Amino acid sequence: MAEAAIEVRDLTVAYREKPVLWDIDWTVPEGDLVAIAGPNGAGKTTLLKAIMDLLEPSAGQVRVLGQPYRDVQKEVGYVPQRGSVDWDFPTNVLDVVLMGLYGRLGWFRRPGQKEREEARAALRKVGIEDLANRQISELSGGQQQRTFLARALVQDATIYLMDEPFQGVDATTERAIIDLLRQLQREGKTVVVVHHDLQTLPEYFSSVLLLNVRRIAAGPVEEAFTDENLRRTYGGRISFIGAPQGETG
Amino acid sequence: MELLSDLFVALFTDYTLRTVALGSAVLGLVSGALGTYAVLRGQSLIGDAISHAALPGIALAFLLTGSRMTLVLLLGALAAGWVATLCIMQVSSSRRVTYDTALGLALSVFFGVGLMLLTYLQQTAGAQQAGLDTFLFGQAATLVTEDVWTMAGMGGAGLLGMALFWKEFKLLSFDPAFGRSLGLPIRALDVLLTTLLVVAIVIGLQTVGVVLMSAMLIAPAAAARQWTDSLGVMVGLAVLFGILAGVSGALISSVVPRLPTGPTIVLSVSAIVVISLFLAPRRGLVWRWMRERRSTRQHPALRMVGEEGR
């Protein structure tokens, strides 16, 4: 039995007394490639942020690699939603990737030749090394996503938390990202991905957490990703529930 | 031509002009550099809130110490501006009040208290004598060498802080959530950067005044953004534009009779902004217009669409 990479206990998060996450219990085993799925407003991003201690929970606790997040933050690579930043910021791709090393560099030190090499290597892994000096305002959606992935890769973390990395990217990038996720899994990394596309979910991921404020179901895709659970997660609002049936069965 | 060479000579020989030009240059330098972050973080209005909020600090510093020393008054302004920014951060982080509401509240409450204190002082202690009312609209002519040293000292500290935390401030401006995931104390960095902004604003109060000071924070950086896509170059250009506006404002107001220095500096920097908005390559309006014309000329179909649009 693998150890727990992430352990969430009785987690409740509320904005203005309205619960966004309610009493979540969830364990991610080490080396798992797991998707978080659920309708809009289900608390998927909030869960990622609560794991990284970016917001204060009303109740409950989170352990990462058995410890408080603060003690293991170097082991966690975060890929925020692409739309969460201003891509008109005056900087280039390599510079954004270097930001992944700021925690390790420490105060007052600037990235040097060694760090630049590492950043280039990370860009190579996501297939955009040639864009290193490109202004970030000139990137396509897929290239923006690859830049963010490279920024997390350069951290050389053991756990990756990714918020909708497939959102609005072209088919080539989607292919490249899923290859990268599999590669990370082969290297023994734990990868948690907020994922919207129920059609591709069973193909891309080995485990799933179905979330709608409460935990609806969690576990290996074969067990948790059932019609019944999807209906309970999305209510009656989902029309293509039948489609992934063959893959889940 | 003779006027220009006379001015140039006066810049080095005339004590008042030299002092005012130097002070304005320091103010342009510091506010240009630190204003870059205010512009990039979409916090352009915070300068306005801080500068207005500094007024009660100036009055209180005089009331408590009875001193007219610029350093004492500016330290009072610094304290009040700093308290105001903490209030803004605290109130807006509660999520019940939006950021712009918090800004508006802090601006009007602090400025109101400042005006009240100023009126009280004018009736009792004679604030006119102390020169406190000059902080409202600024009066560059009151600058003496000592003031310029005070400004340079405070500004130097601000720029040093900016250099030391260069990469952290960059990350704070671009992607604070990612910064926090790395374990950086983003909230403390936010307070530090805003404190440096307060320093930059306080430096300009005597010259430009609380009412117009925020322009010196925003305008040089906004103009610089038009010309470059690199943060380092942007800071450099904003510094250059700030100094240029400060010195040319001082010179112009010394030549034209009854032209106040502060507003002239602000108008100079505004001119730089307008020129940049139109002429900067790629981002400038003129270039965009030329590019559109060229592309519609190449594609007759597009031209028809374009004409239809009009």
Side-chain angles (χ1 to χ4, degrees):
Chain A
M1 189 66 198
E3 260 186 79
I6 301 169
E7 216 176 342
V8 178
R9 285 286 157 261
D10 307 325
L11 182 75
T12 295
V13 179
Y15 289 129
R16 309 188 188 196
E17 280 105 52
K18 188 173 171 282
V20 184
L21 289 174
W22 186 260
D23 200 20
I24 305 286
D25 282 295
W26 185 44
T27 305
V28 181
E30 251 178 58
D32 206 358
L33 176 55
V34 48
I36 303 177
N40 288 331
K44 304 182 291 288
T45 299
T46 307
L47 179 57
L48 287 192
K49 289 191 170 168
I51 291 170
M52 289 177 291
D53 206 14
L54 296 188
L55 42 83
E56 194 134 333
S58 313
Q61 60 166 335
V62 175
R63 285 280 177 276
V64 179
L65 298 169
Q67 297 180 58
Y69 179 77
R70 203 163 282 276
D71 298 337
V72 286
Q73 56 209 10
K74 287 203 172 68
E75 298 301 325
V76 178
Y78 176 38
V79 181
Q81 277 184 33
R82 195 157 55 79
S84 64
V85 303
D86 174 16
W87 288 94
D88 200 29
F89 195 85
T91 189
N92 62 28
V93 170
L94 190 72
D95 207 37
V96 171
V97 176
L98 282 169
M99 289 177 186
L101 295 169
Y102 282 8
R104 203 177 77 197
L105 271 173
W107 301 104
F108 314 130
R109 270 191 61 209
R110 303 270 177 96
Q113 193 56 43
K114 180 171 152 285
E115 284 77 20
R116 252 177 268 280
E117 280 308 314
E118 288 178 55
R120 280 185 191 281
L123 282 172
R124 206 172 306 134
K125 279 188 203 162
V126 297
I128 53 166
E129 201 197 358
D130 52 323
L131 299 182
N133 295 318
R134 181 75 57 90
Q135 288 307 315
I136 60 170
S137 56
E138 293 165 12
L139 299 178
S140 71
Q143 291 163 343
Q144 291 175 352
Q145 196 61 62
R146 289 174 195 232
T147 304
F148 264 10
L149 284 164
R151 184 178 66 171
L153 286 179
V154 80
Q155 287 177 256
D156 195 23
T158 53
I159 299 174
Y160 287 93
L161 305 177
M162 307 184 180
D163 203 344
E164 301 197 19
F166 297 103
Q167 184 68 44
V169 302
D170 51 290
T172 327
T173 303
E174 177 145 352
R175 214 55 253 167
I177 295 176
I178 193 63
D179 287 345
L180 180 71
L181 297 187
R182 300 233 163 94
Q183 174 66 32
L184 288 172
Q185 195 184 22
R186 272 195 299 277
E187 291 169 11
K189 317 274 190 187
T190 309
V191 186
V192 177
V193 178
V194 172
H195 191 62
H196 254 306
D197 187 357
L198 297 179
Q199 311 276 1
T200 55
L201 194 149
E203 182 200 336
Y204 291 174
F205 298 94
S206 46
S207 309
V208 66
L209 165 69
L210 290 173
L211 188 72
N212 191 351
V213 183
R214 293 158 192 273
R215 165 193 160 139
I216 307 294
V221 166
E222 319 68 87
E223 292 168 25
F225 199 70
T226 62
D227 277 4
E228 170 60 19
N229 285 337
L230 282 172
R231 207 170 297 123
R232 282 169 58 211
T233 311
Y234 290 86
R237 276 167 291 156
I238 196 146
S239 54
F240 57 98
I241 267 179
Q245 197 175 18
E247 296 161 69
T248 56
Chain B
M1 228 24 240
E2 203 179 321
L3 179 74
L4 274 181
S5 61
D6 281 354
L7 259 183
F8 191 72
V9 172
L11 196 53
F12 293 96
T13 52
D14 183 305
Y15 171 81
T16 310
L17 182 58
R18 191 181 57 200
T19 313
V20 170
L22 258 178
S24 306
V26 169
L27 133 79
L29 192 166
V30 179
S31 60
L34 281 156
T36 306
Y37 289 113
V39 167
L40 288 177
R41 299 178 71 203
Q43 292 187 332
S44 298
L45 283 175
I46 200 166
D48 217 20
I50 294 173
S51 63
H52 280 78
L55 192 63
I58 295 169
L60 271 178
F62 177 71
L63 202 62
L64 292 177
T65 64
S67 164
R68 293 175 213 170
M69 262 180 67
T70 308
L71 181 63
V72 174
L73 298 181
L74 289 192
L75 284 178
L78 197 66
W82 197 66
V83 170
T85 57
L86 288 192
C87 288
I88 293 167
M89 284 173 157
Q90 198 54 44
V91 169
S92 60
S93 75
S94 74
R95 291 168 195 276
R96 281 169 204 279
V97 181
T98 57
Y99 186 70
D100 61 331
T101 310
L103 281 181
L105 277 174
L107 188 154
S108 44
V109 171
F110 277 76
F111 191 56
V113 172
L115 285 180
M116 223 174 66
L117 286 172
L118 219 58
T119 314
Y120 167 76
L121 280 173
Q122 237 148 6
Q123 282 160 1
T124 55
Q128 210 111 37
Q129 277 178 317
L132 293 195
D133 50 339
T134 61
F135 281 96
L136 215 45
F137 298 107
Q139 199 168 343
T142 61
L143 283 179
V144 294
T145 311
E146 204 180 298
D147 298 335
V148 176
W149 279 115
T150 305
M151 290 164 76
M154 290 170 92
L159 293 180
L160 182 69
M162 185 172 156
L164 284 177
F165 296 100
W166 174 262
K167 71 177 194 301
E168 285 80 10
F169 286 159
K170 179 161 64 178
L171 186 49
L172 168 70
S173 307
F174 177 63
D175 195 349
F178 182 76
R180 274 198 294 174
S181 85
L182 291 179
L184 292 178
I186 287 295
R187 199 169 161 77
L189 285 167
D190 194 358
V191 172
L192 179 64
L193 178 55
T194 315
T195 306
L196 298 185
L197 276 183
V198 178
V199 171
I201 288 165
V202 163
I203 285 171
L205 292 184
Q206 195 179 359
T207 314
V208 179
V210 299
V211 179
L212 284 175
M213 186 50 210
S214 69
M216 288 309 293
L217 208 62
I218 307 161
R225 182 69 188 95
Q226 301 301 314
W227 299 90
T228 177
D229 275 326
S230 148
L231 182 61
V233 178
M234 184 179 165
V235 170
L237 280 177
V239 163
L240 194 72
F241 291 158
I243 294 175
L244 195 67
V247 174
S248 57
L251 288 180
I252 294 170
S253 68
S254 79
V255 177
V256 183
R258 279 192 290 279
L259 202 58
T261 309
T264 311
I265 294 174
V266 170
L267 284 181
S268 304
V269 79
S270 307
I272 296 175
V273 172
V274 171
I275 292 169
S276 303
L277 280 177
F278 276 98
L279 292 185
R282 298 197 313 117
R283 280 177 177 262
L285 292 173
V286 171
W287 290 78
R288 275 189 202 178
W289 177 73
M290 275 169 56
R291 205 162 42 220
E292 265 164 40
R293 253 179 76 118
R294 207 175 307 139
S295 64
T296 48
R297 227 182 248 154
Q298 278 159 359
H299 307 283
L302 270 176
R303 192 169 64 206
M304 280 175 64
V305 175
E307 274 162 10
E308 227 166 284
R310 255 164 249 150

